Amino acid sequence: MKKSLCLLFLSVCFFVCSACSKDDVKNPIIGNWKLTAWSIEIPFNLNNDATFSTNLLDETTCEVNEILRFDTNGLVTSNDTFNPELKVRLKDGTSDVYMITETCAEGAIGFATEYNQVNDQSIGFNGVVAVVTGTKLTVVYEGAIKVYNEALTEIIAKKDLTLVYEKK
């Protein structure tokens, strides 16, 4: 009888302990997120393929390997951040004809920073709030891209930069 009670007690302890596993806390942000869109909402054709796109990743000649890694300890890292330099100019006398030049960043730019859960669908890191919708993570940097006049002598507008990542 003593052995049966002891065995029953150990079984109950095993099930109680296994129920407290970290796996039960499913945070949708944990894991790897690949950069799939980089947009300033201006259609352009940098690669001269006769197709205009608002997604720079469809047009760039730069190497794109950016992956955000969110861990369970509240840290987000990227070892190869996509960070080209864009010069955006509005053609004089027009309201929607842009000239864009791109300079690829040399080497690798990376970062590591803490992230915090803002609510069920949002997280904060690097001074912005990112929104998680299913398997997509969207980050908007407001006014991050300067639009110059044609001569590059004056900033005439600023465009939001929108980054979209998909969970791998």
Side-chain angles (χ1 to χ4, degrees):
M1 179 74 170
K2 267 185 154 181
K3 283 186 179 184
S4 295
L5 283 176
C6 187
L7 185 57
L8 178 63
F9 177 75
L10 288 174
S11 297
V12 169
C13 286
F14 172 78
F15 286 112
V16 168
C17 291
S18 65
C20 297
S21 168
K22 284 184 181 179
D23 293 338
D24 284 351
V25 180
K26 300 286 188 200
N27 186 340
I29 196 67
I30 304 300
N32 295 329
W33 297 79
K34 181 174 179 45
L35 181 65
T36 57
W38 200 97
S39 177
I40 57 175
E41 294 304 317
I42 298 173
F44 48 91
N45 179 23
L46 289 176
N47 61 5
N48 297 316
D49 65 355
T51 303
F52 284 76
S53 177
T54 58
N55 183 357
L56 179 64
L57 301 186
D58 294 337
E59 299 294 324
T60 188
T61 58
C62 300
E63 196 170 323
V64 182
N65 297 313
E66 182 167 344
I67 295 176
L68 297 180
R69 291 174 180 85
F70 291 86
D71 71 15
T72 57
N73 299 318
L75 190 67
V76 57
T77 60
S78 173
N79 294 331
D80 196 355
T81 302
F82 181 66
N83 192 28
E85 180 183 332
L86 289 185
K87 290 286 186 193
V88 181
R89 301 180 292 157
L90 181 63
K91 185 170 177 66
D92 290 341
T94 69
S95 63
D96 63 351
V97 179
Y98 295 91
M99 297 165 283
I100 300 175
T101 56
E102 171 189 48
T103 305
C104 301
E106 300 220 3
I109 299 169
F111 70 88
T113 189
E114 291 180 343
Y115 71 89
N116 63 314
Q117 197 81 31
V118 176
N119 59 39
D120 288 346
Q121 296 176 328
S122 303
I123 58 155
F125 69 97
N126 277 350
V128 295
V129 174
V131 176
V132 179
T133 308
T135 60
K136 291 191 182 211
L137 172 78
T138 304
V139 181
V140 178
Y141 293 95
E142 293 181 10
I145 303 295
K146 297 173 185 165
V147 178
Y148 294 89
N149 62 350
E150 191 170 351
L152 288 171
T153 57
E154 180 183 354
I155 298 171
I156 57 174
K158 292 185 178 182
K159 295 284 188 181
D160 293 347
L161 171 61
T162 302
L163 307 179
V164 178
Y165 299 85
E166 290 190 26
K167 188 125 187 211
K168 288 178 63 175

